Amino acid sequence: MSLQRPNIESMQGYTPGEQLNDAGVIKLNTNENPYPPAPQVGAALAAIDPAALRRYPPPLADEFRDVAARLNGVDRDNIIPTNGGDELLRLVLTTFVEPSDTVVVAQPSYSLYPVLAEVAGCNLVQVPLQADWNLASDFKAALQTAKLCILVNPHAPSGHLTSVDSLRDLALCFDGILMIDEAYVDFIDPELNYDSMPLIRELDNVVVLRTLSKGYSLAGLRFGYGIGAKSLIEPMLLKTRDSYNTDLIAQRLACAALQAEDYARANWARVRESRATLAARLAALGLKSEPSQSNFILCRVPDNPGAKALYEALKARKILVRYFDQPGLRDRLRISIGTEEENAALATAIATILSAD
Ligand SMILES: *Cc1c(COP(=O)(O)O)cnc(C)c1O
């Protein structure tokens, strides 16, 4: 007899992207940043005295909260540091969603949302996106019974960007919480002037997720944070969060990463440039992609050879990309932007595979 709760017994766990620990692998499948963290992060790490680890870390990570608040033009009370962005998703569900409540997400989207909703045991509604990745007209109707809506913006896996005006419109149309997952916000073209922080100041039902995993090259550190009205942040910070949810090393390195603003901006600009170059190269090979505001592109693979076969042929050449066996995605591959050399190797390999076909 299983001792698991019935909803845990019947669910599948989250499947992380493949991590081949082979030095020769070109890894373009989990949207990690191709460049190292800022030198200031390395210096902060080197400056940590192991003796400091004898004590518990600052419980609320107030120094980080102040750095993040300043960067985003909000107050310390609007910030909660978390053990990766993923912890914030779990905290929002734990704090605000009853098992009888409904959570609305777009489909396709980040595959962790349904997993966390199943753990919480709540009612999950997945509303299909339009073919152009915009929200369908029935999305607002679905929100009317929702306690929580989680939207990733820029969208994953397409890279499509929804405007702040559209997000405001959604937040205003229902009584629940709109959670905007901005895991890829750093890679948005600055000319678009995307800034969701006015929503935090205007509305008390919006929570924004940020992570240092992508834009700051720190996926291994496990650090993210939430931004929201004090009335939303405070219960998570003071009641539902694990005590000491972020450790001393992570707090110090996270502060250093956010403060190295020039390094970060140059990194994002490089990724954006490579994104345009790679998209053009793949389009020339017949693999067209959606305009992306993220550090990945989603390209369509012609039937011959098809996305799955191309994924496998690339894997045989030690190049990992992401194939999703899901409705609407089976003819596509999601490719993380790598270094110029990695992107060139990918394009060359695809050209070779297509010509051999
Ligand atoms: C990477 C990612 C996150 C957060 O990842 P962490 O590594 O836990 O910070 C959240 N949402 C999406 C869509 C992501 O891709």
Side-chain angles (χ1 to χ4, degrees):
M1 191 188 73
S2 169
L3 297 176
Q4 298 172 51
R5 291 159 58 209
N7 56 316
I8 307 296
E9 170 85 51
S10 64
M11 69 177 278
Q12 300 282 317
Y14 174 70
T15 312
E18 296 161 283
Q19 299 282 359
L20 290 188
N21 285 325
D22 182 332
V25 170
I26 296 182
K27 213 175 151 299
L28 304 174
N29 66 331
T30 50
N31 300 341
E32 288 142 340
N33 196 301
Y35 304 112
Q40 291 90 326
V41 172
L45 182 60
I48 291 171
D49 177 357
L53 299 176
R54 187 173 62 80
R55 301 204 172 204
Y56 285 102
L60 301 180
D62 278 337
E63 198 181 326
F64 176 83
R65 294 174 76 205
D66 287 341
V67 170
R70 222 174 299 130
L71 184 68
N72 292 289
V74 296
D75 296 330
R76 174 197 279 190
D77 288 343
N78 300 121
I79 305 283
I80 177 170
T82 55
N83 183 15
D86 290 348
E87 190 199 12
L88 181 69
L89 294 165
R90 192 182 284 269
L91 278 177
V92 166
L93 282 160
T94 305
T95 310
F96 302 106
V97 179
E98 298 266 22
S100 56
D101 285 336
T102 295
V103 173
V104 171
V105 301
Q107 212 283 318
S109 192
Y110 186 29
S111 56
L112 184 64
Y113 304 153
V115 172
L116 292 177
E118 281 189 278
V119 171
C122 58
N123 177 34
L124 178 74
V125 175
Q126 298 180 271
V127 184
L129 289 170
Q130 297 182 164
D132 63 2
W133 306 103
N134 279 305
L135 296 172
S137 54
D138 55 353
F139 198 85
K140 272 191 182 175
L143 280 190
Q144 298 315 307
T145 56
K147 183 67 191 282
L148 172 67
C149 168
I150 312 175
L151 278 186
V152 51
N153 197 45
H155 179 251
S158 70
H160 178 82
L161 186 70
T162 298
S163 72
V164 172
D165 284 343
S166 300
L167 294 170
R168 179 185 290 105
D169 198 33
L170 287 180
L172 286 170
C173 91
F174 78 124
D175 293 330
I177 296 171
L178 176 65
M179 177 150 192
I180 309 168
D181 178 344
E182 292 188 343
Y184 300 101
V185 71
D186 302 315
F187 304 105
I188 298 174
D189 184 345
E191 285 175 14
L192 297 179
N193 289 316
Y194 175 91
D195 177 16
S196 60
M197 289 304 103
L199 302 184
I200 301 298
R201 292 186 283 267
E202 291 165 28
L203 303 167
D204 59 8
N205 69 331
V206 175
V207 178
V208 167
L209 177 153
R210 296 282 178 80
T211 174
L212 276 64
S213 294
K214 318 286 169 39
Y216 294 88
S217 314
L218 288 169
L221 190 70
R222 311 307 305 135
F223 211 96
Y225 60 104
I227 316 174
K230 185 183 177 188
S231 58
L232 294 178
I233 296 298
E234 198 172 69
M236 297 193 281
L237 198 65
L238 302 183
K239 297 181 186 171
T240 53
R241 180 184 60 93
D242 281 351
S243 46
Y244 311 111
N245 63 328
T246 62
D247 66 75
L248 181 79
I249 299 173
Q251 288 183 25
R252 297 243 180 109
L253 271 51
C255 287
L258 257 53
Q259 285 169 324
E261 285 185 52
D262 292 344
Y263 180 91
R265 260 194 272 279
N267 176 314
W268 306 333
R270 235 181 343 163
V271 170
R272 283 197 306 272
E273 256 176 62
S274 300
R275 176 175 74 199
T277 310
L278 180 61
R281 257 191 210 144
L282 295 186
L285 293 170
L287 280 69
K288 294 217 172 67
S289 53
E290 314 296 327
S292 170
Q293 293 299 326
S294 289
N295 69 336
F296 53 81
I297 55 178
L298 181 70
C299 60
R300 194 191 288 258
V301 182
D303 284 348
N304 192 9
K308 186 156 191 242
L310 182 55
Y311 154 79
E312 279 161 0
L314 286 168
K315 190 172 169 182
R317 285 171 167 75
K318 293 192 173 187
I319 300 178
L320 285 184
V321 299
R322 193 77 182 256
Y323 169 72
F324 297 97
D325 191 4
Q326 273 178 39
L329 296 175
R330 291 193 182 96
D331 59 343
R332 294 162 207 245
L333 292 178
R334 191 197 69 190
I335 301 172
S336 310
I337 307 303
T339 61
E340 278 302 301
E341 296 73 33
E342 290 172 327
N343 300 337
L346 169 84
T348 304
I350 291 179
T352 308
I353 294 164
L354 294 181
S355 65
D357 221 60

